[in-house]
């Protein structure tokens, strides 16, 4: 079931009744075109997310002849900016599937999830993801895809370098990288701090930078205050610069220019021995015949306190109306079948309980390979996506963090500038 428009709810409420439409049939409207801007999870034209959306939309439109859905897919390098430009120009899409929602929610531009989705759909989302989708105690961000991170390592390259076990600490990681470099491995440890997804690689290192067996704090402390330039985080990036990058253990491409897609491709091509990866790398590496293992991300002294969890977000803009049609379409998108189809196509974790349970219970190879990631999701730590400043802070990290490990770079200086950006963005958001 799904909610009718606000006008219908008001009318039926006046009669003392609750208004719902049964099933997922036609909305009763005609000649409505919904525009969705979405991110590309594929690594080539052959498996672009455009193919997934085209297939899903084709099936949806068969039973909804009065509704058309136009989907434009952009790379992660471009999609957030594309949506921002559309919104700033006064031409917001009906829906966007991107990396951050809170700034749009704070500006009053989004529908709340409860204005769109059936109670059944809302209740099916994993609770920690629904909670992360809240701004000011109301859910506006609808989780779309989730992942956690582990260390991938190439078993063949490890064996050639005489390494018998994967690293559990930073010292072991650096020693292994040195041995791999001596064997001519191109990327002993691929460190993607380029603009595509530097905020993810950065957070994974921040979480693993604790002392005495405790994890790092990530971007914020326990009460949500930015702590980017903490002493602990400065030590983390100083170690990366001095013990990995400066010693030539991260490969021929400067980390600040190495994007996540390039690092994954290097691992799949057998050129990178180690990389922090999410589930999509499994399929990529298997397709190239790489013998690999996966272990928890090493930390300064041992296992990190938590893996980084990531959820990407679906959101719906109010500018064009169409709440009824948007809700009907999204209820279809989040059916168990469609969530599983997307998760399996791109090696990502389902965001709903029903799909997660189905995947956990499956011993089929594609699903079983994701079980370690599913196990980590419940205790993973996520970006501070509920902060309206996060989109600006994330963009600043993407553009600048590579400088912290560059030759002649100053980790403390870079992190201090990022902290200043974050504090100013947070203050502006609070004032607004």
């Amino acid at each position: 079931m799904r909610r009718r428009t606000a006008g219908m709810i008001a009318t039926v409420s006046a009669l003392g009744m609750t208004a719902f439409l049964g099933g997922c049939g036609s909305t009763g409207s005609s000649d409505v075109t919904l525009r969705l801007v979405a991110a590309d999870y594929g690594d080539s034209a052959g498996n672009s997310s455009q193919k997934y959306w085209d297939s899903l939309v084709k099936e949806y439109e068969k039973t909804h002849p009065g509704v058309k859905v136009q989907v434009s897919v952009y790379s992660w390098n471009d999609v957030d900016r594309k949506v921002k430009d559309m919104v700033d120009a006064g031409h917001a899409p009906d829906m966007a599937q991107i990396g951050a929602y809170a700034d749009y929610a704070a500006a009053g531009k989004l529908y709340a999830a409860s204005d769109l989705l059936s109670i059944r759909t809302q209740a099916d989302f994993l609770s920690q993801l629904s909670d992360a989708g809240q701004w000011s105690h109301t859910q506006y961000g609808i989780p779309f895809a989730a992942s956690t991170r582990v260390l991938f390592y190439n078993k063949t390259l490890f064996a050639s370098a005489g390494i018998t076990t994967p690293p559990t600490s930073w010292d072991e990681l650096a020693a292994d990288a040195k041995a791999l470099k001596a064997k001519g491995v191109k990327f002993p440890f691929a460190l993607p701090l380029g603009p595509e997804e530097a905020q993810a690689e950065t957070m994974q290192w921040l979480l693993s930078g604790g002392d005495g067996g405790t994890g790092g704090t990530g971007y914020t402390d326990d009460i949500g205050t930015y702590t980017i330039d903490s002493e602990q985080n400065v030590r983390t990036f100083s170690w990366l610069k001095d013990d990995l990058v400066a010693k030539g253990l991260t490969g021929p491409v400067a980390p600040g220019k190495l994007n996540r897609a390039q690092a994954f491709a290097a691992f799949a091509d057998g050129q990178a021995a180690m990389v922090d990866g999410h589930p999509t790398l499994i399929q990529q590496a298997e397709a190239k015949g790489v013998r690999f293992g996966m272990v928890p991300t090493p930390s300064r002294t041992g296992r990190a306190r938590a893996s980084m969890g990531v959820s990407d977000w679906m959101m719906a803009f109010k500018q064009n109306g169409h709440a009824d049609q948007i809700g009907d379409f999204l209820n279809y998108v989040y059916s168990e079948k469609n969530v599983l189809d997307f998760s399996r196509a791109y090696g990502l974790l389902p965001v709903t309980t029903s799909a997660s349970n189905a995947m956990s219970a499956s011993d089929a190879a594609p699903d079983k390979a994701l079980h370690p990631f599913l196990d980590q999701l419940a205790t993973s730590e996520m970006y501070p996506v509920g902060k309206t400043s996060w989109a600006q802070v994330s963009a600043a990290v993407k553009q600048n963090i590579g400088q912290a490990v560059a030759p002649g770079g100053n980790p403390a200086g870079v992190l201090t500038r990022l902290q200043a950006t974050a504090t100013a963005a947070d203050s502006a958001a609070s004032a607004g």
Side-chain angles (χ1 to χ4, degrees), residues 128-129 132 146-149 199-210 213-225 227 232-233 303-311 313 349 373 375-386 390:
Q128 70 270 31
L129 301 182
S147 66
T148 55
R149 294 294 199 275
Q199 83 285 2
E201 185 74 16
T202 296
M203 184 167 176
Q204 188 65 52
W205 281 99
L206 298 185
L207 287 173
S208 66
T214 62
T217 58
Y219 289 107
T220 61
D221 61 18
D222 291 339
I223 61 173
T225 302
T227 55
Q232 187 179 86
N233 290 346
R303 182 171 178 171
R305 179 182 67 185
S307 174
M308 181 191 68
V310 174
S311 178
W313 304 98
L349 305 183
F373 298 91
D375 292 342
Q376 290 191 91
L377 185 58
T379 57
S380 62
E381 297 192 18
M382 297 191 177
Y383 302 132
V385 290
W390 172 242

Side-chain angles (χ1 to χ4, degrees), residues 190-400:
L191 183 65
L193 295 176
E196 179 189 7
E197 206 181 27
Q199 83 285 2
E201 185 74 16
T202 296
M203 184 167 176
Q204 188 65 52
W205 281 99
L206 298 185
L207 287 173
S208 66
D211 294 314
T214 62
T217 58
Y219 289 107
T220 61
D221 61 18
D222 291 339
I223 61 173
T225 302
Y226 283 111
T227 55
I228 297 173
D229 66 343
S230 69
E231 181 180 348
Q232 187 179 86
N233 290 346
V234 170
R235 286 201 307 271
T236 292
F237 268 83
S238 296
W239 185 87
L240 281 173
K241 177 179 181 292
D242 297 337
D243 288 66
L244 285 187
V245 180
K247 295 180 179 178
L249 302 180
T250 55
V253 181
K257 295 183 178 181
L258 183 68
N259 281 324
R260 189 269 307 165
Q262 295 171 280
F264 280 18
F267 187 84
D269 289 339
Q271 297 180 333
M274 293 181 281
V275 65
D276 287 325
H278 53 64
T280 59
L281 185 53
I282 294 175
Q283 295 181 358
Q284 206 172 336
E286 286 179 341
K288 295 291 187 74
V290 175
R291 292 181 60 250
F292 64 90
M294 299 178 292
V295 294
T297 302
S299 70
R300 184 182 297 275
T301 57
R303 182 171 178 171
R305 179 182 67 185
S307 174
M308 181 191 68
V310 174
S311 178
D312 301 323
W313 304 98
M314 180 73 75
M315 62 209 70
F317 289 88
K318 296 191 293 186
Q319 179 179 323
N320 304 315
H322 302 153
D324 202 28
Q325 294 83 4
I326 292 170
D328 194 73
F329 177 67
L330 290 180
N331 282 329
Y332 180 78
V333 168
Y334 285 102
S335 69
E336 180 180 326
K337 175 187 180 300
N338 287 330
V339 171
L340 281 170
D341 283 350
F342 180 85
S343 299
R344 287 165 173 162
Y346 297 102
L348 291 165
L349 305 183
V351 297
T352 61
T353 300
S354 59
S356 293
N357 288 343
M359 183 174 283
S360 294
S362 171
D363 286 329
D367 292 344
K368 190 172 184 179
L370 293 173
H371 289 179
F373 298 91
L374 280 171
D375 292 342
Q376 290 191 91
L377 185 58
T379 57
S380 62
E381 297 192 18
M382 297 191 177
Y383 302 132
V385 290
K387 295 173 75 66
T388 56
S389 56
W390 172 242
Q392 183 177 344
V393 174
S394 176
V397 171
K398 289 180 180 182
Q399 293 300 320
N400 297 292

Side-chain angles (χ1 to χ4, degrees), residues 103-110 318:
D103 48 346
Y104 297 122
K109 296 182 182 295
L110 300 181
K318 296 191 293 186

